[in-house]
Amino acid sequence: MKMVLASEEWKCLEAVLAGRVFMLGQSELFYGYDPISCRAQLQELERIMLNGSIASALQTSQKSMPSYHAKA
């Protein structure tokens, strides 16, 4: 993952340049596609995006392998 984040391709993405990338430190949460997992995923995304808690999301992401989602 460090290679991706350090790559020129990543750094040139519009969402990255505009600061619209949310790093989530709960990769296990985004593994399943069943209804319960989907609901938990939506709740977590909603919490981060609506509360503007990007800083806390970044702190959480440092604890485990993050999942990356760019908002277009």
Side-chain angles (χ1 to χ4, degrees):
M1 190 54 61
K2 290 180 182 182
M3 288 176 53
V4 171
L5 295 176
S7 72
E8 291 302 316
E9 291 84 358
W10 175 261
K11 292 176 184 178
C12 292
L13 292 173
E14 184 178 334
V16 174
L17 292 171
R20 294 186 321 244
V21 175
F22 299 91
M23 297 180 157
L24 306 175
Q26 299 169 333
S27 58
E28 69 282 354
L29 182 65
F30 294 90
Y31 179 72
Y33 298 102
D34 58 276
I36 295 172
S37 295
C38 289
R39 181 181 172 110
Q41 293 162 11
L42 288 173
Q43 289 173 335
E44 179 64 8
L45 291 171
E46 178 182 46
R47 181 188 69 78
I48 290 170
M49 293 191 302
L50 293 180
N51 293 331
S53 59
I54 296 173
S56 65
L58 289 173
Q59 290 172 354
T60 302
S61 72
Q62 295 171 357
K63 295 179 184 176
S64 66
M65 182 59 124
S67 298
Y68 296 92
H69 302 273
K71 184 173 97 176

Short mmCIF file of all heavy atoms in Angstrom, two decimals:
data_model
loop_
_atom_site.label_atom_id
_atom_site.label_comp_id
_atom_site.label_asym_id
_atom_site.label_seq_id
_atom_site.Cartn_x
_atom_site.Cartn_y
_atom_site.Cartn_z
N MET A 1 0.82 -1.18 0.00
CA MET A 1 0.00 0.00 0.00
C MET A 1 0.87 1.25 0.00
O MET A 1 0.51 2.25 -0.61
CB MET A 1 -0.93 -0.03 1.22
CG MET A 1 -1.98 1.02 1.20
SD MET A 1 -3.04 1.12 -0.26
CE MET A 1 -3.83 -0.44 -0.28
N LYS A 2 2.00 1.19 0.68
CA LYS A 2 2.89 2.35 0.70
C LYS A 2 3.37 2.70 -0.69
O LYS A 2 3.53 3.89 -1.01
CB LYS A 2 4.08 2.07 1.62
CG LYS A 2 3.71 2.03 3.08
CD LYS A 2 4.92 1.75 3.95
CE LYS A 2 4.51 1.66 5.40
NZ LYS A 2 5.64 1.43 6.30
N MET A 3 3.57 1.69 -1.52
CA MET A 3 4.02 1.94 -2.90
C MET A 3 2.95 2.71 -3.67
O MET A 3 3.26 3.61 -4.46
CB MET A 3 4.37 0.64 -3.60
CG MET A 3 5.66 0.01 -3.10
SD MET A 3 6.02 -1.59 -3.86
CE MET A 3 5.92 -1.22 -5.59
N VAL A 4 1.69 2.34 -3.46
CA VAL A 4 0.59 3.01 -4.16
C VAL A 4 0.52 4.47 -3.72
O VAL A 4 0.41 5.38 -4.55
CB VAL A 4 -0.75 2.30 -3.88
CG1 VAL A 4 -1.92 3.11 -4.42
CG2 VAL A 4 -0.75 0.90 -4.48
N LEU A 5 0.58 4.71 -2.42
CA LEU A 5 0.47 6.07 -1.91
C LEU A 5 1.64 6.95 -2.33
O LEU A 5 1.50 8.17 -2.44
CB LEU A 5 0.37 6.05 -0.39
CG LEU A 5 -0.89 5.38 0.18
CD1 LEU A 5 -0.82 5.33 1.69
CD2 LEU A 5 -2.14 6.07 -0.30
N ALA A 6 2.79 6.35 -2.58
CA ALA A 6 3.98 7.10 -2.99
C ALA A 6 4.07 7.28 -4.51
O ALA A 6 4.87 8.06 -4.99
CB ALA A 6 5.23 6.40 -2.48
N SER A 7 3.21 6.57 -5.25
CA SER A 7 3.31 6.61 -6.71
C SER A 7 2.84 7.94 -7.29
O SER A 7 1.99 8.63 -6.72
CB SER A 7 2.49 5.48 -7.33
OG SER A 7 1.11 5.75 -7.20
N GLU A 8 3.41 8.31 -8.41
CA GLU A 8 3.02 9.53 -9.11
C GLU A 8 1.57 9.45 -9.59
O GLU A 8 0.85 10.45 -9.62
CB GLU A 8 3.96 9.81 -10.27
CG GLU A 8 5.36 10.20 -9.83
CD GLU A 8 5.37 11.43 -8.93
OE1 GLU A 8 4.67 12.42 -9.23
OE2 GLU A 8 6.08 11.40 -7.90
N GLU A 9 1.13 8.24 -9.96
CA GLU A 9 -0.24 8.07 -10.42
C GLU A 9 -1.23 8.43 -9.32
O GLU A 9 -2.23 9.10 -9.55
CB GLU A 9 -0.49 6.63 -10.89
CG GLU A 9 0.24 6.25 -12.15
CD GLU A 9 1.68 5.79 -11.91
OE1 GLU A 9 2.15 5.79 -10.74
OE2 GLU A 9 2.35 5.44 -12.89
N TRP A 10 -0.96 7.97 -8.10
CA TRP A 10 -1.83 8.27 -6.96
C TRP A 10 -1.84 9.78 -6.69
O TRP A 10 -2.89 10.38 -6.51
CB TRP A 10 -1.37 7.50 -5.73
CG TRP A 10 -2.14 7.85 -4.49
CD1 TRP A 10 -1.77 8.72 -3.51
CD2 TRP A 10 -3.43 7.35 -4.12
NE1 TRP A 10 -2.74 8.80 -2.55
CE2 TRP A 10 -3.77 7.97 -2.89
CE3 TRP A 10 -4.32 6.45 -4.70
CZ2 TRP A 10 -4.96 7.70 -2.23
CZ3 TRP A 10 -5.51 6.18 -4.03
CH2 TRP A 10 -5.82 6.81 -2.82
N LYS A 11 -0.65 10.36 -6.66
CA LYS A 11 -0.51 11.77 -6.33
C LYS A 11 -1.18 12.68 -7.36
O LYS A 11 -1.51 13.82 -7.04
CB LYS A 11 0.96 12.14 -6.20
CG LYS A 11 1.62 11.48 -5.00
CD LYS A 11 3.10 11.79 -4.98
CE LYS A 11 3.80 11.06 -3.83
NZ LYS A 11 5.24 11.33 -3.84
N CYS A 12 -1.40 12.19 -8.57
CA CYS A 12 -2.00 12.98 -9.64
C CYS A 12 -3.52 12.82 -9.73
O CYS A 12 -4.16 13.52 -10.51
CB CYS A 12 -1.38 12.62 -10.99
SG CYS A 12 0.34 13.14 -11.13
N LEU A 13 -4.10 11.93 -8.94
CA LEU A 13 -5.54 11.74 -8.98
C LEU A 13 -6.26 13.00 -8.49
O LEU A 13 -5.84 13.64 -7.53
CB LEU A 13 -5.96 10.56 -8.11
CG LEU A 13 -5.53 9.18 -8.60
CD1 LEU A 13 -5.86 8.13 -7.56
CD2 LEU A 13 -6.21 8.85 -9.92
N GLU A 14 -7.32 13.37 -9.18
CA GLU A 14 -8.06 14.58 -8.86
C GLU A 14 -8.53 14.60 -7.41
O GLU A 14 -8.41 15.62 -6.71
CB GLU A 14 -9.25 14.72 -9.81
CG GLU A 14 -10.03 16.00 -9.61
CD GLU A 14 -11.18 16.12 -10.59
OE1 GLU A 14 -11.13 15.54 -11.68
OE2 GLU A 14 -12.14 16.82 -10.24
N ALA A 15 -9.06 13.48 -6.94
CA ALA A 15 -9.55 13.42 -5.56
C ALA A 15 -8.42 13.59 -4.55
O ALA A 15 -8.59 14.24 -3.52
CB ALA A 15 -10.27 12.09 -5.32
N VAL A 16 -7.25 13.05 -4.85
CA VAL A 16 -6.10 13.19 -3.96
C VAL A 16 -5.65 14.65 -3.93
O VAL A 16 -5.42 15.23 -2.86
CB VAL A 16 -4.94 12.26 -4.39
CG1 VAL A 16 -3.69 12.52 -3.57
CG2 VAL A 16 -5.35 10.80 -4.29
N LEU A 17 -5.54 15.26 -5.09
CA LEU A 17 -5.10 16.65 -5.17
C LEU A 17 -6.07 17.59 -4.45
O LEU A 17 -5.65 18.59 -3.86
CB LEU A 17 -4.96 17.08 -6.64
CG LEU A 17 -3.83 16.40 -7.41
CD1 LEU A 17 -3.93 16.74 -8.89
CD2 LEU A 17 -2.48 16.81 -6.85
N ALA A 18 -7.36 17.27 -4.48
CA ALA A 18 -8.37 18.12 -3.86
C ALA A 18 -8.60 17.77 -2.39
O ALA A 18 -9.44 18.40 -1.74
CB ALA A 18 -9.68 17.99 -4.64
N GLY A 19 -7.90 16.77 -1.88
CA GLY A 19 -8.06 16.38 -0.49
C GLY A 19 -9.37 15.69 -0.20
O GLY A 19 -9.92 15.79 0.89
N ARG A 20 -9.89 14.96 -1.19
CA ARG A 20 -11.17 14.27 -1.03
C ARG A 20 -10.98 12.77 -0.96
O ARG A 20 -11.76 12.01 -1.52
CB ARG A 20 -12.10 14.63 -2.18
CG ARG A 20 -12.51 16.08 -2.19
CD ARG A 20 -13.55 16.37 -3.25
NE ARG A 20 -13.34 15.68 -4.49
CZ ARG A 20 -13.08 16.24 -5.66
NH1 ARG A 20 -13.00 17.54 -5.74
NH2 ARG A 20 -12.92 15.52 -6.73
N VAL A 21 -9.96 12.33 -0.25
CA VAL A 21 -9.71 10.90 -0.06
C VAL A 21 -9.89 10.59 1.41
O VAL A 21 -9.33 11.27 2.27
CB VAL A 21 -8.29 10.51 -0.52
CG1 VAL A 21 -8.01 9.06 -0.20
CG2 VAL A 21 -8.13 10.77 -2.01
N PHE A 22 -10.70 9.61 1.71
CA PHE A 22 -10.95 9.19 3.07
C PHE A 22 -10.25 7.87 3.31
O PHE A 22 -10.50 6.90 2.61
CB PHE A 22 -12.45 9.04 3.33
CG PHE A 22 -13.21 10.32 3.13
CD1 PHE A 22 -13.75 10.63 1.89
CD2 PHE A 22 -13.35 11.23 4.16
CE1 PHE A 22 -14.44 11.81 1.70
CE2 PHE A 22 -14.03 12.42 3.97
CZ PHE A 22 -14.58 12.71 2.74
N MET A 23 -9.38 7.82 4.31
CA MET A 23 -8.66 6.59 4.63
C MET A 23 -9.38 5.93 5.80
O MET A 23 -9.53 6.53 6.86
CB MET A 23 -7.22 6.90 5.00
CG MET A 23 -6.45 7.49 3.86
SD MET A 23 -4.77 7.81 4.38
CE MET A 23 -3.96 7.81 2.82
N LEU A 24 -9.80 4.72 5.56
CA LEU A 24 -10.53 3.99 6.59
C LEU A 24 -9.69 2.84 7.10
O LEU A 24 -9.18 2.05 6.32
CB LEU A 24 -11.85 3.45 6.01
CG LEU A 24 -12.74 4.49 5.35
CD1 LEU A 24 -13.94 3.83 4.72
CD2 LEU A 24 -13.17 5.53 6.37
N GLY A 25 -9.56 2.74 8.39
CA GLY A 25 -8.70 1.72 8.99
C GLY A 25 -9.45 0.47 9.39
O GLY A 25 -9.07 -0.19 10.34
N GLN A 26 -10.51 0.16 8.71
CA GLN A 26 -11.29 -1.01 9.05
C GLN A 26 -11.47 -1.89 7.82
O GLN A 26 -12.57 -2.10 7.34
CB GLN A 26 -12.63 -0.59 9.62
CG GLN A 26 -12.48 0.24 10.88
CD GLN A 26 -13.78 0.87 11.29
OE1 GLN A 26 -14.64 1.14 10.47
NE2 GLN A 26 -13.92 1.11 12.57
N SER A 27 -10.37 -2.39 7.32
CA SER A 27 -10.43 -3.17 6.08
C SER A 27 -11.33 -4.39 6.22
O SER A 27 -11.97 -4.80 5.26
CB SER A 27 -9.03 -3.59 5.64
OG SER A 27 -8.39 -4.34 6.64
N GLU A 28 -11.43 -4.95 7.42
CA GLU A 28 -12.30 -6.11 7.61
C GLU A 28 -13.77 -5.74 7.45
O GLU A 28 -14.59 -6.56 7.07
CB GLU A 28 -12.06 -6.75 8.98
CG GLU A 28 -12.50 -5.94 10.17
CD GLU A 28 -11.56 -4.80 10.58
OE1 GLU A 28 -10.47 -4.67 10.01
OE2 GLU A 28 -11.94 -4.04 11.47
N LEU A 29 -14.10 -4.48 7.69
CA LEU A 29 -15.48 -4.01 7.55
C LEU A 29 -15.91 -4.01 6.09
O LEU A 29 -17.06 -4.18 5.77
CB LEU A 29 -15.62 -2.61 8.15
CG LEU A 29 -17.01 -1.97 8.13
CD1 LEU A 29 -17.96 -2.76 9.03
CD2 LEU A 29 -16.93 -0.54 8.59
N PHE A 30 -14.97 -3.81 5.19
CA PHE A 30 -15.28 -3.70 3.77
C PHE A 30 -14.95 -4.98 3.02
O PHE A 30 -14.58 -4.96 1.87
CB PHE A 30 -14.55 -2.49 3.18
CG PHE A 30 -15.08 -1.21 3.75
CD1 PHE A 30 -14.52 -0.66 4.88
CD2 PHE A 30 -16.18 -0.60 3.18
CE1 PHE A 30 -15.03 0.50 5.43
CE2 PHE A 30 -16.70 0.56 3.72
CZ PHE A 30 -16.12 1.11 4.85
N TYR A 31 -15.11 -6.09 3.68
CA TYR A 31 -14.81 -7.38 3.06
C TYR A 31 -16.08 -8.04 2.54
O TYR A 31 -16.10 -8.56 1.44
CB TYR A 31 -14.12 -8.30 4.08
CG TYR A 31 -13.79 -9.65 3.53
CD1 TYR A 31 -12.77 -9.81 2.60
CD2 TYR A 31 -14.51 -10.77 3.91
CE1 TYR A 31 -12.48 -11.05 2.07
CE2 TYR A 31 -14.22 -12.02 3.39
CZ TYR A 31 -13.20 -12.15 2.47
OH TYR A 31 -12.92 -13.37 1.95
N GLY A 32 -17.14 -8.02 3.30
CA GLY A 32 -18.36 -8.73 2.93
C GLY A 32 -19.33 -7.89 2.13
O GLY A 32 -19.28 -6.66 2.13
N TYR A 33 -20.22 -8.56 1.43
CA TYR A 33 -21.24 -7.89 0.62
C TYR A 33 -22.65 -8.32 1.01
O TYR A 33 -23.59 -8.09 0.28
CB TYR A 33 -21.00 -8.15 -0.87
CG TYR A 33 -19.68 -7.60 -1.33
CD1 TYR A 33 -18.59 -8.44 -1.52
CD2 TYR A 33 -19.50 -6.25 -1.54
CE1 TYR A 33 -17.37 -7.94 -1.93
CE2 TYR A 33 -18.28 -5.73 -1.93
CZ TYR A 33 -17.23 -6.59 -2.13
OH TYR A 33 -16.02 -6.09 -2.53
N ASP A 34 -22.77 -8.95 2.17
CA ASP A 34 -24.08 -9.35 2.65
C ASP A 34 -24.80 -8.12 3.22
O ASP A 34 -24.18 -7.08 3.44
CB ASP A 34 -23.93 -10.44 3.72
CG ASP A 34 -23.10 -9.95 4.88
OD1 ASP A 34 -21.85 -10.02 4.78
OD2 ASP A 34 -23.69 -9.49 5.87
N PRO A 35 -26.11 -8.20 3.45
CA PRO A 35 -26.86 -7.03 3.91
C PRO A 35 -26.33 -6.42 5.22
O PRO A 35 -26.29 -5.20 5.35
CB PRO A 35 -28.27 -7.56 4.09
CG PRO A 35 -28.36 -8.72 3.15
CD PRO A 35 -26.99 -9.33 3.15
N ILE A 36 -25.92 -7.24 6.15
CA ILE A 36 -25.42 -6.72 7.43
C ILE A 36 -24.11 -5.97 7.23
O ILE A 36 -23.91 -4.88 7.76
CB ILE A 36 -25.28 -7.85 8.47
CG1 ILE A 36 -26.66 -8.42 8.78
CG2 ILE A 36 -24.57 -7.36 9.73
CD1 ILE A 36 -26.64 -9.66 9.64
N SER A 37 -23.23 -6.53 6.43
CA SER A 37 -21.95 -5.87 6.15
C SER A 37 -22.17 -4.57 5.39
O SER A 37 -21.54 -3.55 5.70
CB SER A 37 -21.03 -6.79 5.33
OG SER A 37 -20.67 -7.93 6.07
N CYS A 38 -23.05 -4.59 4.40
CA CYS A 38 -23.33 -3.38 3.62
C CYS A 38 -23.87 -2.28 4.51
O CYS A 38 -23.48 -1.11 4.37
CB CYS A 38 -24.31 -3.69 2.50
SG CYS A 38 -23.59 -4.67 1.17
N ARG A 39 -24.74 -2.62 5.43
CA ARG A 39 -25.29 -1.62 6.35
C ARG A 39 -24.19 -1.03 7.22
O ARG A 39 -24.12 0.19 7.40
CB ARG A 39 -26.39 -2.23 7.21
CG ARG A 39 -27.02 -1.24 8.15
CD ARG A 39 -28.10 -1.90 9.00
NE ARG A 39 -28.55 -1.00 10.01
CZ ARG A 39 -29.74 -0.44 10.03
NH1 ARG A 39 -30.60 -0.73 9.08
NH2 ARG A 39 -30.08 0.38 11.00
N ALA A 40 -23.33 -1.87 7.77
CA ALA A 40 -22.23 -1.39 8.61
C ALA A 40 -21.28 -0.50 7.80
O ALA A 40 -20.80 0.52 8.29
CB ALA A 40 -21.47 -2.57 9.21
N GLN A 41 -21.03 -0.89 6.55
CA GLN A 41 -20.15 -0.09 5.68
C GLN A 41 -20.76 1.28 5.43
O GLN A 41 -20.06 2.30 5.53
CB GLN A 41 -19.94 -0.83 4.36
CG GLN A 41 -19.16 -2.11 4.50
CD GLN A 41 -19.32 -3.02 3.30
OE1 GLN A 41 -19.86 -2.64 2.27
NE2 GLN A 41 -18.86 -4.25 3.43
N LEU A 42 -22.03 1.33 5.12
CA LEU A 42 -22.70 2.61 4.87
C LEU A 42 -22.72 3.49 6.11
O LEU A 42 -22.52 4.70 6.02
CB LEU A 42 -24.12 2.37 4.36
CG LEU A 42 -24.22 1.83 2.94
CD1 LEU A 42 -25.66 1.47 2.62
CD2 LEU A 42 -23.69 2.84 1.95
N GLN A 43 -22.95 2.88 7.26
CA GLN A 43 -22.96 3.66 8.50
C GLN A 43 -21.59 4.27 8.78
O GLN A 43 -21.48 5.41 9.21
CB GLN A 43 -23.42 2.79 9.67
CG GLN A 43 -24.89 2.47 9.62
CD GLN A 43 -25.31 1.48 10.69
OE1 GLN A 43 -24.51 0.69 11.18
NE2 GLN A 43 -26.59 1.51 11.05
N GLU A 44 -20.54 3.51 8.56
CA GLU A 44 -19.19 4.01 8.79
C GLU A 44 -18.84 5.12 7.80
O GLU A 44 -18.28 6.15 8.18
CB GLU A 44 -18.17 2.88 8.70
CG GLU A 44 -16.73 3.30 8.92
CD GLU A 44 -16.44 3.85 10.31
OE1 GLU A 44 -17.32 3.78 11.20
OE2 GLU A 44 -15.34 4.36 10.51
N LEU A 45 -19.16 4.94 6.54
CA LEU A 45 -18.91 5.99 5.54
C LEU A 45 -19.70 7.25 5.87
O LEU A 45 -19.18 8.37 5.78
CB LEU A 45 -19.26 5.48 4.15
CG LEU A 45 -18.34 4.40 3.59
CD1 LEU A 45 -18.92 3.84 2.30
CD2 LEU A 45 -16.95 4.94 3.37
N GLU A 46 -20.94 7.09 6.26
CA GLU A 46 -21.78 8.23 6.63
C GLU A 46 -21.18 8.97 7.83
O GLU A 46 -21.09 10.20 7.83
CB GLU A 46 -23.18 7.75 6.96
CG GLU A 46 -24.11 8.85 7.41
CD GLU A 46 -25.48 8.32 7.77
OE1 GLU A 46 -25.57 7.30 8.48
OE2 GLU A 46 -26.47 8.95 7.35
N ARG A 47 -20.74 8.22 8.83
CA ARG A 47 -20.15 8.83 10.02
C ARG A 47 -18.94 9.69 9.66
O ARG A 47 -18.82 10.84 10.09
CB ARG A 47 -19.74 7.76 11.03
CG ARG A 47 -19.15 8.32 12.31
CD ARG A 47 -18.57 7.22 13.19
NE ARG A 47 -17.37 6.62 12.62
CZ ARG A 47 -16.16 7.16 12.64
NH1 ARG A 47 -15.97 8.35 13.19
NH2 ARG A 47 -15.13 6.54 12.11
N ILE A 48 -18.08 9.16 8.83
CA ILE A 48 -16.85 9.86 8.48
C ILE A 48 -17.14 11.06 7.59
O ILE A 48 -16.63 12.16 7.82
CB ILE A 48 -15.86 8.90 7.81
CG1 ILE A 48 -15.34 7.92 8.85
CG2 ILE A 48 -14.70 9.66 7.17
CD1 ILE A 48 -14.55 6.79 8.29
N MET A 49 -17.97 10.89 6.58
CA MET A 49 -18.19 11.98 5.63
C MET A 49 -19.07 13.09 6.20
O MET A 49 -18.81 14.26 5.98
CB MET A 49 -18.76 11.44 4.34
CG MET A 49 -17.74 10.58 3.59
SD MET A 49 -18.15 10.13 1.90
CE MET A 49 -19.67 9.28 2.07
N LEU A 50 -20.09 12.75 6.96
CA LEU A 50 -20.99 13.78 7.48
C LEU A 50 -20.43 14.49 8.69
O LEU A 50 -20.70 15.67 8.90
CB LEU A 50 -22.35 13.17 7.82
CG LEU A 50 -23.16 12.68 6.62
CD1 LEU A 50 -24.49 12.10 7.08
CD2 LEU A 50 -23.38 13.79 5.62
N ASN A 51 -19.65 13.80 9.49
CA ASN A 51 -19.07 14.43 10.67
C ASN A 51 -17.77 15.15 10.35
O ASN A 51 -17.22 15.82 11.21
CB ASN A 51 -18.81 13.39 11.77
CG ASN A 51 -20.10 12.83 12.31
OD1 ASN A 51 -21.12 13.49 12.31
ND2 ASN A 51 -20.07 11.60 12.78
N GLY A 52 -17.27 14.97 9.14
CA GLY A 52 -16.02 15.61 8.77
C GLY A 52 -14.86 15.15 9.63
O GLY A 52 -13.90 15.87 9.83
N SER A 53 -14.96 13.93 10.13
CA SER A 53 -13.94 13.43 11.06
C SER A 53 -12.83 12.73 10.30
O SER A 53 -12.46 11.61 10.62
CB SER A 53 -14.58 12.49 12.08
OG SER A 53 -15.19 11.41 11.43
N ILE A 54 -12.28 13.41 9.33
CA ILE A 54 -11.19 12.82 8.55
C ILE A 54 -9.97 12.59 9.42
O ILE A 54 -9.30 11.58 9.31
CB ILE A 54 -10.85 13.71 7.34
CG1 ILE A 54 -12.05 13.78 6.41
CG2 ILE A 54 -9.62 13.19 6.61
CD1 ILE A 54 -11.90 14.76 5.29
N ALA A 55 -9.70 13.51 10.34
CA ALA A 55 -8.53 13.35 11.21
C ALA A 55 -8.65 12.08 12.05
O ALA A 55 -7.69 11.32 12.16
CB ALA A 55 -8.38 14.56 12.11
N SER A 56 -9.83 11.82 12.62
CA SER A 56 -9.98 10.61 13.41
C SER A 56 -9.94 9.38 12.53
O SER A 56 -9.45 8.33 12.94
CB SER A 56 -11.27 10.64 14.22
OG SER A 56 -12.39 10.64 13.37
N ALA A 57 -10.44 9.49 11.30
CA ALA A 57 -10.37 8.36 10.38
C ALA A 57 -8.92 8.05 10.03
O ALA A 57 -8.52 6.90 9.92
CB ALA A 57 -11.16 8.65 9.12
N LEU A 58 -8.11 9.10 9.88
CA LEU A 58 -6.70 8.90 9.58
C LEU A 58 -5.99 8.26 10.76
O LEU A 58 -5.14 7.39 10.57
CB LEU A 58 -6.03 10.22 9.22
CG LEU A 58 -6.42 10.81 7.87
CD1 LEU A 58 -5.83 12.20 7.71
CD2 LEU A 58 -5.97 9.92 6.74
N GLN A 59 -6.32 8.65 11.97
CA GLN A 59 -5.70 8.04 13.15
C GLN A 59 -6.07 6.57 13.23
O GLN A 59 -5.24 5.72 13.51
CB GLN A 59 -6.16 8.76 14.41
CG GLN A 59 -5.59 10.15 14.53
CD GLN A 59 -6.18 10.91 15.69
OE1 GLN A 59 -7.12 10.46 16.35
NE2 GLN A 59 -5.65 12.09 15.94
N THR A 60 -7.33 6.26 12.95
CA THR A 60 -7.79 4.88 12.98
C THR A 60 -7.07 4.07 11.90
O THR A 60 -6.69 2.93 12.13
CB THR A 60 -9.31 4.81 12.74
OG1 THR A 60 -9.95 5.58 13.73
CG2 THR A 60 -9.81 3.39 12.79
N SER A 61 -6.84 4.68 10.74
CA SER A 61 -6.23 3.95 9.63
C SER A 61 -4.80 3.54 9.93
O SER A 61 -4.28 2.60 9.35
CB SER A 61 -6.28 4.77 8.34
OG SER A 61 -5.38 5.84 8.41
N GLN A 62 -4.15 4.24 10.84
CA GLN A 62 -2.77 3.91 11.18
C GLN A 62 -2.69 2.67 12.05
O GLN A 62 -1.63 2.09 12.20
CB GLN A 62 -2.11 5.10 11.86
CG GLN A 62 -1.98 6.29 10.94
CD GLN A 62 -1.51 7.54 11.66
OE1 GLN A 62 -1.34 7.53 12.86
NE2 GLN A 62 -1.33 8.60 10.91
N LYS A 63 -3.81 2.23 12.62
CA LYS A 63 -3.82 1.07 13.50
C LYS A 63 -3.90 -0.24 12.74
O LYS A 63 -3.54 -1.28 13.25
CB LYS A 63 -5.00 1.17 14.47
CG LYS A 63 -4.88 2.33 15.42
CD LYS A 63 -6.06 2.40 16.34
CE LYS A 63 -5.96 3.63 17.23
NZ LYS A 63 -7.15 3.77 18.06
N SER A 64 -4.42 -0.21 11.54
CA SER A 64 -4.55 -1.44 10.75
C SER A 64 -4.39 -1.10 9.27
O SER A 64 -4.28 0.06 8.90
CB SER A 64 -5.92 -2.09 11.00
OG SER A 64 -6.94 -1.26 10.51
N MET A 65 -4.40 -2.11 8.43
CA MET A 65 -4.26 -1.90 6.99
C MET A 65 -5.50 -1.19 6.48
O MET A 65 -6.60 -1.68 6.61
CB MET A 65 -4.11 -3.24 6.29
CG MET A 65 -3.92 -3.10 4.80
SD MET A 65 -2.47 -2.11 4.42
CE MET A 65 -1.60 -3.22 3.39
N PRO A 66 -5.37 0.02 5.91
CA PRO A 66 -6.53 0.79 5.50
C PRO A 66 -7.12 0.35 4.17
O PRO A 66 -6.45 -0.24 3.35
CB PRO A 66 -5.98 2.21 5.40
CG PRO A 66 -4.54 2.01 5.08
CD PRO A 66 -4.13 0.73 5.77
N SER A 67 -8.40 0.70 4.01
CA SER A 67 -9.07 0.61 2.72
C SER A 67 -9.13 2.03 2.20
O SER A 67 -9.29 2.98 2.96
CB SER A 67 -10.48 0.08 2.89
OG SER A 67 -10.45 -1.22 3.42
N TYR A 68 -9.02 2.22 0.91
CA TYR A 68 -9.00 3.56 0.34
C TYR A 68 -10.20 3.75 -0.56
O TYR A 68 -10.49 2.94 -1.41
CB TYR A 68 -7.70 3.79 -0.44
CG TYR A 68 -6.53 3.75 0.49
CD1 TYR A 68 -5.85 2.56 0.71
CD2 TYR A 68 -6.13 4.88 1.18
CE1 TYR A 68 -4.79 2.51 1.59
CE2 TYR A 68 -5.07 4.83 2.05
CZ TYR A 68 -4.40 3.64 2.25
OH TYR A 68 -3.36 3.59 3.12
N HIS A 69 -10.88 4.84 -0.36
CA HIS A 69 -12.06 5.18 -1.15
C HIS A 69 -11.94 6.64 -1.55
O HIS A 69 -11.86 7.51 -0.70
CB HIS A 69 -13.34 4.96 -0.33
CG HIS A 69 -13.46 3.56 0.16
ND1 HIS A 69 -14.03 2.57 -0.60
CD2 HIS A 69 -13.04 2.97 1.29
CE1 HIS A 69 -13.98 1.45 0.07
NE2 HIS A 69 -13.38 1.66 1.23
N ALA A 70 -11.94 6.91 -2.81
CA ALA A 70 -11.87 8.29 -3.30
C ALA A 70 -13.27 8.77 -3.64
O ALA A 70 -14.03 8.06 -4.28
CB ALA A 70 -10.97 8.38 -4.52
N LYS A 71 -13.59 9.97 -3.19
CA LYS A 71 -14.88 10.56 -3.50
C LYS A 71 -14.71 11.41 -4.74
O LYS A 71 -13.94 12.36 -4.75
CB LYS A 71 -15.33 11.40 -2.30
CG LYS A 71 -16.71 11.99 -2.47
CD LYS A 71 -17.13 12.65 -1.19
CE LYS A 71 -16.84 14.13 -1.28
NZ LYS A 71 -17.30 14.89 -0.14
N ALA A 72 -15.44 11.10 -5.79
CA ALA A 72 -15.30 11.83 -7.06
C ALA A 72 -15.90 13.19 -7.00
O ALA A 72 -16.65 13.56 -6.20
CB ALA A 72 -15.95 11.03 -8.18
#
